[in-house]
Amino acid sequence: MKKNGAQLAVFALEQIGVQFTFGIPGVHNIELYDALNSSEKITPILTTHENGASFMADAISRTSESIGVAMIVPAAGATNAMSGIGEAYLDGIASMIISGGTRRDSGRHYQLHQMDQGRLLDGIVKKYYLIEKHEDIIPTIYDAFEEATSGEPGPVFIEIPADLQMFQGEVDELTPYTPKRKRPQIDQKLISQAVDLLLNAKNPGLYLGWGAIPAYDDTHKIADVLGAPVATTLQGLSSFSAKHPLHTGVGIGPASVPAAQETFKNCDALLAIGCRFGELATGSYGFNVTENLIHVDINPQVFSKNYPAKIAIHGDSRDVARALLAELHYRGHTSPKPAQELKQKIAKEKAAYLESWHKPEDKNKVAPGLFFRSLRQQLEDDAMVVVDDGSHTFLTAELMPIHRARGFISPTDFNCMGYCVPAAIATKLANPDKTVAAIVGDGAFLMTGLEMLTASTYKAGIAYFVFHDGELGQISQFQEVPLNRKTCTVIGDVKLKGVADACGAEYIDLDDNSKIDEVIKKAIAITKENKPVLVDVRIDYSRKTMMTKGAIKVNLGRFPLKEKMRFIGRAIKRHVTG
C-alpha cells in the first residue's frame, strides 16, 4: 500500500497511545500537522513557544499513562525546545520529540533550517533517530518509544525529512505496536540480604524518589511492617502520602524538615528506592548515610556514585518492593508494627514546624504558612500541584502536604525556570477532572507566562498562584547572606493583571492575609468554569526554608578554613558597614 510519511507517523503515534502533541507547525512539519488533524485519537495543541511544548511533553509523561510528544520544526524549534528536553533527560522522564527535517531528495545545500540535529542534541537525549525511508517510520517510532520508556526513562528525538512526510511510499502493512521491553530479573539473594539488614536494624528508614512512584502501595506496606519513618526527595514528594503517620517530609539531613532530621538522625539501615542522591535531593550532599544502605534503582549506573551501597538492587521499583514485601511476609512480618512513639514524634514535629510558619513576619505581605494551610484545606486529595524553580519550590515542598501519587511535579536536576506555566497546562489536559494548582515565582513566570494563552485557548482551568516579590528570590537570598547586595536579582515590577488580560485569564490580587481563604476559594471556582486564573500573591519571602538554610550551612562548612574565614569576614563587614 502507499502512504505518505506523515500518515505513517501519526498511525504509529496512535498505536503507542499518544493523546496529545504540543508544538508549532512550520514548513518542515506541515504534513505531520495535516495528518494529526485527521486523527480521532490524538489532539494537536498549538503552543506559543517550543520551550513550552517540550515542558508540556514532560508533564504529560509525569502525570498520565501516555508519553508526552512535542511536534516541532527543525533547528530553531529544536534549540527552543532544548530546555524541556534537558529537563526530561536529567530528571529521568520519558518524552518524544518529533521534528521535521530538511529535504534529502533535492541535493541542495544551505536549505532553511539545515543543520546536523544529531550533533546538536548529543548529550541531552537517550537516542537520536534520522528516518531515511518510508518503511522505517513506523518501526522507528516504536523503537523510540521503547527506548524512551525502558530502563531509566528519558527523551528521544526523531527527525522525519519533509520529503518523506509529503510524498507517498510503498509499505507492506501498517504494523500494530507490540511491547518488547523486559523488566530486569530481581536477584532474590539480594532481596533476602536486604530484609536481613532491615529486620536487624534498630532504626530502619525509607528514602523515596520519583522512581519509587510505581511502588507507591507497596512502600506504604513496607513502612508499616518495619515501623520505619519515610522521607522523600523533592522530585519524589508524591511518592509517599503525607497523610501516612510515618511520613516525615522532604529530605534527610541538615536541609530537611525537622521531622525528618529528628527521626533519621539514628537511622542504621536505609532503604532508598528510585533516587540518585543528587545535589538537590541531598541538600548539597549534606547528610551522612548509614553504611547499611540498600539502594534500589532501574539504572545500575547510579549505585555508589555519591554514597556507597552495601546492597544494590537493580530492578523496577514495583518489582523490587513487592519482592521485599513478600520476603517480609514469608518471615512472618505481615502486620503493621505499632511504632506509636515514633508516629507521635513525627506528628509533633510536623505540627510545630507548620505552626511556626503561621505567624506573619510582615503584615503587609502574604504569610506562606497561612497560604499553604488554606490551599491544602481547600484542595481535594487528588488535586495536582505544579511548581517551578525558585524559593516557592522549597516553600511548597516543606509546607504543602501531597496526598496522592503523581500529585506534585517539579523541575529538579536540570532545574529549569519556566517549567510551571506550560507544565500545568499539560497536567490539566491529561487530568481534566482534577484541580490543578500551579505555584510559580514571578521571575519564572516571566519566562513562559504568555503560555497562559494556550490555557485560555484550550479551556484549561488552572489556578496560577504567582508569588510576586519583584526578585529572583532564591538567588537573591543566597546573595543577601554572604554579600549583602543583590546583583541582577531585582526584576522589573511587572503588572501581572495586564498579562492575565492579554492571555484571556481571570485575575485576582492577594496582598492581605485576611483575604487568603476567600481568594483561593474564588480561584478554584473559576477553574471549574474551564478558565485559567492568575492570582497575584504578594508573598513574604523574609523567612528562609530549611532547604535554603541547610544548603548554605553545608556548603560553607566545606570551604577550606582560610576561605571560610574570608567569606565570613566579608559578610560581617558588609552587613556592618552597609
Side-chain angles (χ1 to χ4, degrees), residues 424-473:
I425 296 169
T427 299
K428 182 62 179 179
L429 292 175
N431 302 272
D433 297 329
K434 295 182 180 179
T435 303
V436 176
I439 302 164
V440 56
D442 48 3
F445 178 81
L446 288 174
M447 294 187 174
T448 54
L450 292 181
E451 206 68 71
M452 278 197 312
L453 178 63
T454 306
S456 298
T457 301
Y458 293 95
K459 302 185 185 308
I462 301 159
Y464 286 105
F465 297 97
V466 181
F467 281 14
H468 192 170
D469 71 325
E471 297 183 356
L472 301 176

Tab-separated table of all heavy atoms in Angstrom, residues 424-473:
chain	number	residue	atom	x	y	z
A	424	ALA	N	1.709	22.925	33.747
A	424	ALA	CA	0.378	22.873	34.357
A	424	ALA	C	-0.710	22.684	33.302
A	424	ALA	O	-1.720	22.022	33.555
A	424	ALA	CB	0.123	24.147	35.160
A	425	ILE	N	-0.498	23.255	32.129
A	425	ILE	CA	-1.480	23.101	31.042
A	425	ILE	C	-1.579	21.636	30.625
A	425	ILE	O	-2.672	21.073	30.502
A	425	ILE	CB	-1.101	23.983	29.840
A	425	ILE	CG1	-1.153	25.462	30.226
A	425	ILE	CG2	-2.016	23.706	28.651
A	425	ILE	CD1	-0.547	26.395	29.202
A	426	ALA	N	-0.444	21.008	30.403
A	426	ALA	CA	-0.440	19.598	30.023
A	426	ALA	C	-1.042	18.735	31.127
A	426	ALA	O	-1.787	17.782	30.855
A	426	ALA	CB	0.983	19.145	29.709
A	427	THR	N	-0.724	19.068	32.370
A	427	THR	CA	-1.267	18.320	33.504
A	427	THR	C	-2.786	18.384	33.515
A	427	THR	O	-3.471	17.373	33.732
A	427	THR	CB	-0.705	18.880	34.824
A	427	THR	OG1	0.720	18.749	34.824
A	427	THR	CG2	-1.270	18.139	36.023
A	428	LYS	N	-3.330	19.560	33.256
A	428	LYS	CA	-4.784	19.712	33.246
A	428	LYS	C	-5.411	18.996	32.053
A	428	LYS	O	-6.456	18.336	32.192
A	428	LYS	CB	-5.159	21.201	33.217
A	428	LYS	CG	-6.658	21.466	33.253
A	428	LYS	CD	-7.291	20.950	34.547
A	428	LYS	CE	-8.785	21.239	34.587
A	428	LYS	NZ	-9.411	20.718	35.824
A	429	LEU	N	-4.801	19.098	30.880
A	429	LEU	CA	-5.340	18.417	29.701
A	429	LEU	C	-5.366	16.903	29.906
A	429	LEU	O	-6.301	16.227	29.472
A	429	LEU	CB	-4.519	18.770	28.461
A	429	LEU	CG	-4.611	20.217	27.969
A	429	LEU	CD1	-3.645	20.455	26.816
A	429	LEU	CD2	-6.038	20.569	27.548
A	430	ALA	N	-4.344	16.383	30.567
A	430	ALA	CA	-4.270	14.941	30.801
A	430	ALA	C	-5.156	14.494	31.956
A	430	ALA	O	-5.490	13.310	32.058
A	430	ALA	CB	-2.822	14.538	31.084
A	431	ASN	N	-5.521	15.439	32.820
A	431	ASN	CA	-6.333	15.122	34.003
A	431	ASN	C	-7.477	16.126	34.126
A	431	ASN	O	-7.529	16.921	35.068
A	431	ASN	CB	-5.464	15.158	35.259
A	431	ASN	CG	-4.292	14.196	35.199
A	431	ASN	OD1	-4.422	13.036	35.568
A	431	ASN	ND2	-3.147	14.680	34.731
A	432	PRO	N	-8.399	16.125	33.168
A	432	PRO	CA	-9.431	17.171	33.113
A	432	PRO	C	-10.351	17.222	34.322
A	432	PRO	O	-10.949	18.265	34.597
A	432	PRO	CB	-10.200	16.839	31.834
A	432	PRO	CG	-9.944	15.384	31.600
A	432	PRO	CD	-8.560	15.149	32.090
A	433	ASP	N	-10.475	16.114	35.054
A	433	ASP	CA	-11.399	16.070	36.189
A	433	ASP	C	-10.744	16.450	37.502
A	433	ASP	O	-11.401	16.448	38.552
A	433	ASP	CB	-12.009	14.660	36.315
A	433	ASP	CG	-12.841	14.295	35.098
A	433	ASP	OD1	-13.426	15.209	34.485
A	433	ASP	OD2	-12.885	13.098	34.752
A	434	LYS	N	-9.448	16.773	37.458
A	434	LYS	CA	-8.741	17.112	38.691
A	434	LYS	C	-8.408	18.601	38.744
A	434	LYS	O	-8.169	19.228	37.707
A	434	LYS	CB	-7.459	16.283	38.814
A	434	LYS	CG	-7.731	14.789	38.967
A	434	LYS	CD	-6.450	14.000	39.142
A	434	LYS	CE	-6.743	12.504	39.288
A	434	LYS	NZ	-5.500	11.708	39.437
A	435	THR	N	-8.378	19.135	39.953
A	435	THR	CA	-7.981	20.525	40.140
A	435	THR	C	-6.468	20.625	40.006
A	435	THR	O	-5.732	19.822	40.591
A	435	THR	CB	-8.405	21.035	41.528
A	435	THR	OG1	-9.815	20.873	41.673
A	435	THR	CG2	-8.039	22.502	41.703
A	436	VAL	N	-6.001	21.606	39.245
A	436	VAL	CA	-4.569	21.829	39.073
A	436	VAL	C	-4.212	23.192	39.661
A	436	VAL	O	-4.740	24.222	39.232
A	436	VAL	CB	-4.156	21.765	37.598
A	436	VAL	CG1	-2.680	22.107	37.432
A	436	VAL	CG2	-4.441	20.376	37.028
A	437	ALA	N	-3.339	23.172	40.649
A	437	ALA	CA	-2.841	24.397	41.268
A	437	ALA	C	-1.385	24.571	40.870
A	437	ALA	O	-0.548	23.711	41.154
A	437	ALA	CB	-2.969	24.329	42.791
A	438	ALA	N	-1.093	25.668	40.195
A	438	ALA	CA	0.275	25.942	39.741
A	438	ALA	C	0.854	27.063	40.594
A	438	ALA	O	0.244	28.121	40.739
A	438	ALA	CB	0.260	26.345	38.271
A	439	ILE	N	2.029	26.811	41.157
A	439	ILE	CA	2.680	27.797	42.019
A	439	ILE	C	4.008	28.167	41.381
A	439	ILE	O	4.857	27.304	41.121
A	439	ILE	CB	2.892	27.225	43.433
A	439	ILE	CG1	1.534	26.810	44.031
A	439	ILE	CG2	3.581	28.237	44.336
A	439	ILE	CD1	1.647	25.898	45.225
A	440	VAL	N	4.184	29.462	41.106
A	440	VAL	CA	5.346	29.896	40.325
A	440	VAL	C	5.817	31.260	40.816
A	440	VAL	O	5.008	32.120	41.167
A	440	VAL	CB	4.984	29.935	38.818
A	440	VAL	CG1	3.780	30.824	38.557
A	440	VAL	CG2	6.160	30.356	37.964
A	441	GLY	N	7.126	31.454	40.873
A	441	GLY	CA	7.665	32.755	41.211
A	441	GLY	C	7.531	33.722	40.052
A	441	GLY	O	7.412	33.304	38.887
A	442	ASP	N	7.568	35.030	40.354
A	442	ASP	CA	7.386	35.993	39.271
A	442	ASP	C	8.518	35.940	38.256
A	442	ASP	O	8.304	36.146	37.068
A	442	ASP	CB	7.188	37.418	39.807
A	442	ASP	CG	8.206	37.826	40.858
A	442	ASP	OD1	9.120	37.039	41.159
A	442	ASP	OD2	8.077	38.947	41.393
A	443	GLY	N	9.732	35.629	38.689
A	443	GLY	CA	10.845	35.518	37.749
A	443	GLY	C	10.649	34.377	36.768
A	443	GLY	O	10.835	34.532	35.558
A	444	ALA	N	10.253	33.222	37.271
A	444	ALA	CA	9.994	32.069	36.402
A	444	ALA	C	8.765	32.313	35.529
A	444	ALA	O	8.727	31.899	34.366
A	444	ALA	CB	9.802	30.812	37.246
A	445	PHE	N	7.774	32.992	36.078
A	445	PHE	CA	6.565	33.294	35.305
A	445	PHE	C	6.891	34.135	34.081
A	445	PHE	O	6.314	33.944	33.006
A	445	PHE	CB	5.544	34.011	36.183
A	445	PHE	CG	4.291	34.401	35.460
A	445	PHE	CD1	3.288	33.470	35.244
A	445	PHE	CD2	4.122	35.691	34.973
A	445	PHE	CE1	2.128	33.829	34.552
A	445	PHE	CE2	2.979	36.050	34.287
A	445	PHE	CZ	1.974	35.120	34.081
A	446	LEU	N	7.828	35.077	34.229
A	446	LEU	CA	8.163	35.950	33.110
A	446	LEU	C	8.773	35.181	31.940
A	446	LEU	O	8.750	35.645	30.805
A	446	LEU	CB	9.131	37.040	33.574
A	446	LEU	CG	8.530	38.126	34.463
A	446	LEU	CD1	9.615	39.070	34.971
A	446	LEU	CD2	7.461	38.911	33.719
A	447	MET	N	9.300	33.997	32.199
A	447	MET	CA	9.942	33.230	31.134
A	447	MET	C	8.932	32.581	30.186
A	447	MET	O	9.167	32.505	28.984
A	447	MET	CB	10.857	32.171	31.733
A	447	MET	CG	12.048	32.757	32.464
A	447	MET	SD	13.212	31.477	32.969
A	447	MET	CE	14.545	32.500	33.618
A	448	THR	N	7.826	32.084	30.722
A	448	THR	CA	6.867	31.350	29.885
A	448	THR	C	5.424	31.747	30.184
A	448	THR	O	4.492	31.031	29.802
A	448	THR	CB	7.015	29.824	30.085
A	448	THR	OG1	6.913	29.533	31.490
A	448	THR	CG2	8.339	29.313	29.560
A	449	GLY	N	5.219	32.875	30.855
A	449	GLY	CA	3.875	33.255	31.287
A	449	GLY	C	2.877	33.433	30.166
A	449	GLY	O	1.677	33.196	30.349
A	450	LEU	N	3.346	33.835	28.976
A	450	LEU	CA	2.416	34.029	27.862
A	450	LEU	C	1.794	32.719	27.391
A	450	LEU	O	0.824	32.734	26.634
A	450	LEU	CB	3.107	34.725	26.696
A	450	LEU	CG	3.506	36.190	26.932
A	450	LEU	CD1	4.167	36.768	25.692
A	450	LEU	CD2	2.301	37.034	27.332
A	451	GLU	N	2.335	31.608	27.856
A	451	GLU	CA	1.733	30.313	27.515
A	451	GLU	C	0.349	30.172	28.146
A	451	GLU	O	-0.421	29.270	27.780
A	451	GLU	CB	2.646	29.176	27.970
A	451	GLU	CG	2.520	27.888	27.195
A	451	GLU	CD	3.011	27.997	25.754
A	451	GLU	OE1	4.232	28.107	25.555
A	451	GLU	OE2	2.157	27.963	24.839
A	452	MET	N	-0.003	31.084	29.073
A	452	MET	CA	-1.371	31.083	29.594
A	452	MET	C	-2.400	31.249	28.483
A	452	MET	O	-3.552	30.836	28.624
A	452	MET	CB	-1.559	32.200	30.627
A	452	MET	CG	-1.080	31.870	32.020
A	452	MET	SD	-1.774	32.989	33.256
A	452	MET	CE	-1.506	34.593	32.517
A	453	LEU	N	-1.969	31.862	27.394
A	453	LEU	CA	-2.865	31.988	26.240
A	453	LEU	C	-3.291	30.608	25.747
A	453	LEU	O	-4.441	30.401	25.337
A	453	LEU	CB	-2.179	32.763	25.116
A	453	LEU	CG	-2.984	32.938	23.818
A	453	LEU	CD1	-4.249	33.742	24.081
A	453	LEU	CD2	-2.136	33.602	22.749
A	454	THR	N	-2.369	29.650	25.798
A	454	THR	CA	-2.696	28.277	25.403
A	454	THR	C	-3.739	27.693	26.347
A	454	THR	O	-4.662	26.999	25.916
A	454	THR	CB	-1.426	27.407	25.398
A	454	THR	OG1	-0.434	28.024	24.572
A	454	THR	CG2	-1.710	26.011	24.890
A	455	ALA	N	-3.591	27.987	27.642
A	455	ALA	CA	-4.580	27.520	28.617
A	455	ALA	C	-5.957	28.095	28.302
A	455	ALA	O	-6.970	27.388	28.356
A	455	ALA	CB	-4.144	27.901	30.030
A	456	SER	N	-5.997	29.381	27.961
A	456	SER	CA	-7.283	30.011	27.617
A	456	SER	C	-7.873	29.417	26.345
A	456	SER	O	-9.065	29.113	26.273
A	456	SER	CB	-7.095	31.518	27.441
A	456	SER	OG	-6.664	32.134	28.631
A	457	THR	N	-7.020	29.232	25.344
A	457	THR	CA	-7.488	28.725	24.047
A	457	THR	C	-8.107	27.338	24.167
A	457	THR	O	-9.142	27.049	23.549
A	457	THR	CB	-6.317	28.687	23.051
A	457	THR	OG1	-5.784	30.011	22.910
A	457	THR	CG2	-6.760	28.174	21.700
A	458	TYR	N	-7.471	26.488	24.978
A	458	TYR	CA	-7.942	25.112	25.107
A	458	TYR	C	-8.785	24.887	26.358
A	458	TYR	O	-9.024	23.750	26.761
A	458	TYR	CB	-6.750	24.153	25.056
A	458	TYR	CG	-6.103	24.148	23.690
A	458	TYR	CD1	-5.005	24.966	23.421
A	458	TYR	CD2	-6.604	23.367	22.664
A	458	TYR	CE1	-4.421	24.993	22.156
A	458	TYR	CE2	-6.026	23.381	21.406
A	458	TYR	CZ	-4.935	24.203	21.159
A	458	TYR	OH	-4.378	24.218	19.909
A	459	LYS	N	-9.219	26.001	26.977
A	459	LYS	CA	-10.144	25.953	28.117
A	459	LYS	C	-9.617	25.068	29.248
A	459	LYS	O	-10.345	24.214	29.794
A	459	LYS	CB	-11.530	25.488	27.662
A	459	LYS	CG	-12.143	26.383	26.581
A	459	LYS	CD	-13.555	25.974	26.246
A	459	LYS	CE	-14.125	26.788	25.079
A	459	LYS	NZ	-13.995	28.245	25.256
A	460	ALA	N	-8.360	25.280	29.573
A	460	ALA	CA	-7.737	24.552	30.678
A	460	ALA	C	-7.879	25.376	31.953
A	460	ALA	O	-7.222	26.401	32.116
A	460	ALA	CB	-6.265	24.277	30.378
A	461	GLY	N	-8.745	24.923	32.843
A	461	GLY	CA	-8.978	25.647	34.089
A	461	GLY	C	-7.870	25.384	35.097
A	461	GLY	O	-7.823	24.334	35.743
A	462	ILE	N	-6.968	26.328	35.215
A	462	ILE	CA	-5.798	26.194	36.096
A	462	ILE	C	-5.714	27.422	36.989
A	462	ILE	O	-5.908	28.547	36.526
A	462	ILE	CB	-4.501	26.080	35.271
A	462	ILE	CG1	-4.553	24.873	34.342
A	462	ILE	CG2	-3.266	26.007	36.179
A	462	ILE	CD1	-3.580	24.963	33.178
A	463	ALA	N	-5.413	27.205	38.256
A	463	ALA	CA	-5.184	28.321	39.171
A	463	ALA	C	-3.681	28.571	39.253
A	463	ALA	O	-2.937	27.763	39.806
A	463	ALA	CB	-5.742	28.008	40.553
A	464	TYR	N	-3.240	29.686	38.658
A	464	TYR	CA	-1.825	30.058	38.715
A	464	TYR	C	-1.615	31.016	39.880
A	464	TYR	O	-2.080	32.156	39.856
A	464	TYR	CB	-1.403	30.744	37.413
A	464	TYR	CG	-1.257	29.812	36.237
A	464	TYR	CD1	-2.218	29.781	35.229
A	464	TYR	CD2	-0.166	28.960	36.125
A	464	TYR	CE1	-2.088	28.929	34.144
A	464	TYR	CE2	-0.033	28.096	35.052
A	464	TYR	CZ	-0.996	28.085	34.061
A	464	TYR	OH	-0.865	27.235	32.991
A	465	PHE	N	-0.910	30.561	40.908
A	465	PHE	CA	-0.571	31.404	42.037
A	465	PHE	C	0.850	31.922	41.820
A	465	PHE	O	1.825	31.177	41.975
A	465	PHE	CB	-0.662	30.613	43.340
A	465	PHE	CG	-2.054	30.115	43.641
A	465	PHE	CD1	-2.432	28.813	43.314
A	465	PHE	CD2	-2.996	30.946	44.221
A	465	PHE	CE1	-3.711	28.347	43.584
A	465	PHE	CE2	-4.286	30.493	44.493
A	465	PHE	CZ	-4.645	29.191	44.167
A	466	VAL	N	0.956	33.186	41.424
A	466	VAL	CA	2.260	33.778	41.126
A	466	VAL	C	2.782	34.466	42.390
A	466	VAL	O	2.209	35.454	42.851
A	466	VAL	CB	2.163	34.781	39.964
A	466	VAL	CG1	3.549	35.359	39.665
A	466	VAL	CG2	1.587	34.117	38.729
A	467	PHE	N	3.863	33.919	42.948
A	467	PHE	CA	4.471	34.509	44.140
A	467	PHE	C	5.286	35.722	43.703
A	467	PHE	O	6.369	35.586	43.132
A	467	PHE	CB	5.344	33.483	44.854
A	467	PHE	CG	4.556	32.499	45.697
A	467	PHE	CD1	3.179	32.376	45.569
A	467	PHE	CD2	5.197	31.702	46.640
A	467	PHE	CE1	2.454	31.477	46.357
A	467	PHE	CE2	4.496	30.814	47.430
A	467	PHE	CZ	3.121	30.694	47.290
A	468	HIS	N	4.748	36.876	43.984
A	468	HIS	CA	5.232	38.138	43.430
A	468	HIS	C	6.018	38.902	44.494
A	468	HIS	O	5.437	39.447	45.427
A	468	HIS	CB	4.018	38.943	42.964
A	468	HIS	CG	4.342	40.130	42.125
A	468	HIS	ND1	3.385	40.851	41.448
A	468	HIS	CD2	5.524	40.735	41.824
A	468	HIS	CE1	3.945	41.839	40.790
A	468	HIS	NE2	5.242	41.784	41.014
A	469	ASP	N	7.328	38.928	44.343
A	469	ASP	CA	8.165	39.698	45.276
A	469	ASP	C	9.115	40.644	44.563
A	469	ASP	O	9.864	41.376	45.207
A	469	ASP	CB	8.960	38.758	46.179
A	469	ASP	CG	10.071	38.024	45.444
A	469	ASP	OD1	9.866	37.688	44.260
A	469	ASP	OD2	11.139	37.792	46.035
A	470	GLY	N	9.108	40.624	43.228
A	470	GLY	CA	9.955	41.547	42.480
A	470	GLY	C	11.425	41.174	42.452
A	470	GLY	O	12.264	41.994	42.089
A	471	GLU	N	11.716	39.915	42.801
A	471	GLU	CA	13.115	39.464	42.817
A	471	GLU	C	13.200	38.032	42.304
A	471	GLU	O	12.208	37.324	42.271
A	471	GLU	CB	13.699	39.516	44.235
A	471	GLU	CG	13.782	40.890	44.845
A	471	GLU	CD	14.428	40.879	46.219
A	471	GLU	OE1	14.747	39.775	46.722
A	471	GLU	OE2	14.613	41.960	46.792
A	472	LEU	N	14.411	37.633	41.927
A	472	LEU	CA	14.704	36.221	41.726
A	472	LEU	C	15.020	35.676	43.114
A	472	LEU	O	16.173	35.649	43.545
A	472	LEU	CB	15.872	36.039	40.752
A	472	LEU	CG	15.660	36.646	39.359
A	472	LEU	CD1	16.920	36.489	38.512
A	472	LEU	CD2	14.467	35.988	38.655
A	473	GLY	N	13.963	35.289	43.816
A	473	GLY	CA	14.018	35.124	45.259
A	473	GLY	C	15.098	34.199	45.794
A	473	GLY	O	15.790	34.535	46.757
